[in-house]
Amino acid sequence: MTKIAVLGAGKIGEALLSGLLTAGRRAADLLFTERHPQRAAELTERYGVRSVDVPAAAEEADVLVVAVKPQDIEPLLDELEPRLARRDAAGLPRGLVVSLCAGLPTGLFESRLPEGTSVVRVMPNTPMLVGEAMSVISAGRHATEEQLDLVEELLGSVGKVRRAPEGQQDAVTALSGSGPAYFFYLVEAMIDAGILVGIPRAMAADLIVQSAVGAATMLRGAEGHPVMLREAVTSPAGTTIAAIRELEKHGVRAALLDAIEAARDRSVELGRAHDIGSATDRA
């Protein structure tokens, strides 16, 4: 069995561990790193997975899933680099590095780790916590088709997976990586609106959350464009079209477009902060 180490057992790292176990991976084939001893002990008790330090993870694991915050990547790479010098029969580095770090291109890892290291970049999102993630994967220069298949299998245990050229990953980060926050923001505003028009907060929240769940289910099963679903609710001279007119008057659609562009630009900045040059432009 492939041994997998999750480097950084925060919410996303824990969600992946849980999903892998649910999908049938043995606890003995999983490892994780965690800086805080108390949390490490809690996770080991909860899942039966062993906590190790970064050097031990690099020595033992076939797949290293990097799930730390982007600002913590430099010291992690300092620890990994001397431990990934192992070579297989073909003279290539053993193992696969899978990055879940927002904004960080594969070129960063390839420039800091031994020549030939296979890297796959992933942009997941927080619905991984409930097994409904949208993850997009991109291959680095040395990643093989078989390694991409493996990453798809691993992430498929916590949601849906798509492939994209790395040049699209900053846009993916802005669209689906940050996407849940936009929905939460909209739901928050709609609950406030419910209170404004006289509905108690708890009831307003129940109405909107269930409407969101139902709408998402309809979207998932729809074959046509979302506009078709919206038009089915929009009767001539009715309440919905009156509301849509107000949204358009206030530029909600344009604001959302601007927001996603801003998120994309910030993702680009995160990559450039590590002096990777044109690595993010590689398609």
Side-chain angles (χ1 to χ4, degrees):
M1 293 288 288
T2 301
K3 181 159 281 192
I4 302 156
V6 177
L7 309 185
K11 289 184 178 180
I12 291 294
E14 180 183 356
L16 182 57
L17 284 174
S18 177
L20 291 171
L21 289 166
T22 300
R25 294 270 170 181
R26 300 186 308 161
D29 295 320
L30 302 175
L31 303 167
F32 73 92
T33 69
E34 170 55 50
R35 290 182 298 176
H36 303 288
Q38 182 176 349
R39 175 163 171 78
E42 290 172 355
L43 293 176
T44 295
E45 182 177 358
R46 187 176 304 153
Y47 299 110
V49 176
R50 185 160 52 99
S51 172
V52 296
D53 59 18
V54 171
E59 291 285 350
E60 294 187 42
D62 305 297
V63 179
L64 298 171
V65 181
V66 181
V68 301
K69 295 178 180 178
Q71 58 265 35
D72 295 329
I73 193 62
E74 297 292 342
L76 177 66
L77 291 176
D78 287 340
E79 286 191 89
L80 282 180
E81 191 277 331
R83 301 288 177 164
L84 292 182
R86 300 173 299 167
R87 299 279 163 168
D88 62 17
L92 297 174
R94 292 177 54 199
L96 168 65
V97 175
V98 179
S99 168
L100 274 59
C101 303
L104 302 188
T106 57
L108 168 63
F109 296 87
E110 291 168 348
S111 68
R112 293 288 305 279
L113 299 176
E115 176 63 29
T117 298
S118 294
V119 182
V120 174
R121 177 177 175 179
V122 181
M123 186 65 247
N125 59 19
T126 55
M128 182 182 286
L129 300 172
V130 293
E132 291 288 351
M134 181 67 254
S135 300
V136 178
I137 67 174
S138 301
R141 287 187 299 157
H142 307 292
T144 65
E145 189 70 19
E146 290 78 10
Q147 289 171 327
L148 285 173
D149 289 342
L150 174 59
V151 175
E152 274 195 353
E153 178 192 341
L154 298 179
L155 293 170
S157 65
V158 289
K160 189 172 182 178
V161 186
R162 294 289 300 271
R163 298 187 188 188
E166 187 170 6
Q168 295 178 4
Q169 278 285 13
D170 293 312
V172 166
T173 300
L175 195 60
S176 64
S178 299
Y182 313 147
F183 291 110
F184 299 148
Y185 184 87
L186 179 60
V187 167
E188 178 188 359
M190 293 176 73
I191 291 171
D192 286 345
I195 296 168
L196 178 66
V197 297
I199 299 175
R201 177 177 291 277
M203 183 176 179
D206 196 28
L207 294 176
I208 296 306
V209 171
Q210 181 56 34
S211 295
V213 171
T217 302
M218 292 177 71
L219 280 168
R220 174 173 280 179
E223 296 183 0
H225 194 279
V227 72
M228 297 172 64
L229 294 174
R230 179 179 62 77
E231 287 179 346
V233 189
T234 310
S235 303
T239 59
T240 305
I241 192 60
I244 295 294
R245 181 185 65 177
E246 290 300 314
L247 291 173
E248 295 293 356
K249 279 171 58 177
H250 289 280
V252 172
R253 187 187 302 265
L256 186 57
L257 295 175
D258 288 344
I260 290 172
E261 283 191 321
R264 179 207 58 194
D265 294 345
R266 178 56 181 153
S267 180
V268 172
E269 288 175 4
L270 286 172
R272 288 177 177 168
H274 293 274
D275 296 321
I276 297 307
S278 62
T280 54
D281 296 330
R282 188 171 59 244

